[in-house]
Amino acid sequence: MKISFNWLKLYIDTEVSIQLICKILTDIGLLVENLKKIKNLNSFQEDYLIELNIPHNRRDVMSHYGIARDLNIALKSRGFQSKIKDLPSVSLFKKEINFKNLKCFIEKNKKCIRYSYTTLSNIKVLDSPNWLKNYLNNIGCISTNNILDIENFILYELGKPIRIYDLDKIKNFSLSLKESPKQFWFNKNFFSSKNDLILFNEKNPICIAGLLVNNNFIVEKFTKNLFLESADYSAEYIYKIAKKYNIKNEFSIRLERGLDPNLNIYALKRAALLIKKLSGGKISSKIVDFYPEKPENNIDLFIRFNKINKIIGYNLNFIKIKEILILLKIKVLKENFNGLKIKIPLYRKDITREIDVIEEILRIYGYNNFNCKEKISFYCKKINFILKKENMIENMISNQLNSHGFYEILNSSLTEKKYSNYENNNFYEKIFIFNSKKKNFSFLRDNLLFGILEKISSNKNKYKFFEWGKKYFFYKKNILENKTLGIICAKNNNSFFKFKGIIEQLIIRCGINVDNKKIYKDLLIENGISFNYKKNIICNIGYIKKAILEEFEIFHNILYADINWDIIILLLKKEEKSVFKKKYHKYNFTLSRRDISLLIDKKISFEEIKKLSFYKENKILKKINLLDEYNSKTFSFGKKSYTLSFFFQNFQNNLTETIIEKTINKLKFIFIKKIKAIIR
C-alpha cells in the first residue's frame, strides 16, 4: 500500500522525522518497503511516498487515518510527543432541497450487513482542485474529475469504499438488493447472477456487491444528480465472488477483509459535503440506513498476567500493560490479581482471542525492547547445537544448491493413496490418517519424491528442485520420523556424473568423507549408486523409473537424490567434526594426477577397481575419480570403457616422476591380470 506523508500529517501532529517514523512503522508490523521523495505536479511542495506491506488481517490500517491512528499509539508508547487529530466534522450535513422520491427495496440477506445511501442534486462535474489532484497523484491514483476523485479520496482517507452513480440513469426509481436466478450481460461480459448479490435498477444490474460497476451508471461529464452508497458485505462472500469473477481492485482488497460498519454514515456525510463544496450541489435526501442485525459493539475477553509473562518470557509491569490497552482503545472493565477483563473495539476485528491481545501488547511495546538474556540463557545452552550448527548447516547446504540453480519447495506431509502402488515395502507400514479433510490425502508420506514430481509436472519452465522434509512410517509397532533432503534434476540434458558431483560436494561440505559407493536400485530408482560411510547409507542417487514418470506425464529422464539427513547429523555429533573449520596438515602438498582408460567387462564396477588400486605397497595414491564411462557398438559384446583419474601425494616430500610412473605401471599390470582389462 502507498501512502503520502503530507496526507498522513493531516491526521497526526508530531515532530518526529520521516526516517524515524518509517522505523517505528516497521517495528509495529507495518513493514516499510520503500521511501521515495517526490514533488507535487502543481506546486513546489515536497512530499514522501511510503510503500507499506500491510498484514492481511490488519484491515483497520488500510487507510491514511488508520495508519495515523496506529502510529500515534506507537509513538506515545515510546515516549514521543504525538497527538491524533479528529476527523473533519460532518455536522453541517443536512437535507437542503427535495428531489425525486427514490424508493429503495433491500431484501434482508446475511451477505449484506449494512446498506446506506444518500442523494445530491444540481452538481457540476469539473476538474479537481490541485490539492486533491496532488494527494491522489502522489500515491499513484490518476485524477478523473471532482466526483470520482472524491470517491477515491474517501477510500484512501478512511479505508471505506463508497460508490457514486448517476441518479438520472436509474429509471423508475426502484432499487433492489437481492439474489437473482437470472443471467445477464455486464459490460460486454456474460455473468451468471445465480446466488450473486447484485444491485438492480428494475431488471438492469447496477453493481455486483460493491465490486464491479455497470458502465451505464457511472458519473459522466454532463451528470447533474448523484446517488451515493456505502455498504458492508460479508467478507467471506466478497472473497468468493471476487475470485469467481476474477475481480482484484482496491475495493475488493478492503471489502474481502471485512470493515467497520459503524463508519458507513460518516463516510457518506464526508463524501457528500466534499462534493457539495467542490461541485456546488445540494443534498437532496437524508441518510437512508438499512441495518437489520447490528453486531455486538465489542468482544469481551479476559487476559491473564501470568499468561502474558509466560508468552513474553519477561515480567512486564501490569501498569504498562493497562497503558498500552488504553492507547489501543481497549476498555478495561474489571481488574483483579489474576488479570483484566476487557472489551475490544469493533474496528479491530482481528482481535478475537487472548493471544491476539498479547500480540498487540508485544507489538506496541516493541519486540526489541525486551531484555530476556537471563531467562533464556539456560535454554540457549541446551539448544546451542541445534540453532548454531544444524540450522547453519542446513542454510549452508540450501545456499549451495541455490548457487547450482535449484529452487527450494515445501509440500504437505500428506500424500495420495495411489502412490502406494509404487512402494510395496515389506520392511515398514504406511501411517493412515483418519478423518482427513481430503479423502485422497489420507496417508503420511514415506518419500519426498512424489511431492517434488508434482511440482515438476506443474512447472514446465523449472527443472531443479529440492525439499527439506520428513518421512513417516511404522516399524515394529513404533512410529518413526526420518528427516530427509530430496533433490531432483529434470533437465533433458542432465548428466549423471555432474549431478553426482553436486551431491558429493554437499556431503563433503558437511565434513563427511564418503569412503564407499555401491550400485543401488529400489522400487523408485534404477541405475543408481549409494554413498556409504562405514555401514551407514547416507544418500541414494539414480534415475527415476519410467513407470512412475508416466504417472505425472513426464517423458524425459529425471535424476533424484535422497539424502538421509538424520544420519549426517548423527555422524557429525559422533565424529565431532566441524563444518566451518577444516584441519590441514602443516605442509600443504599438491596432488599429482594421472589418467588411465580401460576397456573392461560391463559387470565390473568402479568399486572393484578402486579396491584393486589401493594395494598394500601403494602408499602414495590419495584418491581415484571416475572421469568418464563410455559404451559403443564398436566394442566387443559386454564391454565398456572407463576413464579413471588417479591422484598421488607423499607427505615425506620425496615424490618424483619415476615413483609415479612405477606406480602407474604396477596398476596397469594389476588391472590386466585381475580383471582382464585392455589399456586404451
Side-chain angles (χ1 to χ4, degrees), residues 36-53:
K36 184 180 178 182
K37 195 172 185 179
I38 55 177
K39 285 187 177 181
N40 292 328
L41 296 176
N42 302 308
S43 69
F44 297 101
Q45 187 181 7
E46 292 183 342
D47 194 3
Y48 287 94
L49 177 67
I50 307 172
E51 293 186 37
L52 296 171
N53 187 349

Side-chain angles (χ1 to χ4, degrees), residues 39 56 71 91 140 148 208 215 237 304 430 472 557 623:
K39 285 187 177 181
H56 188 270
L71 177 62
S91 59
L148 295 181
I208 300 178
N215 291 337
Y237 171 70
R304 297 160 289 175
K430 285 197 164 197
Y472 307 88
N557 292 333
K623 65 176 181 178

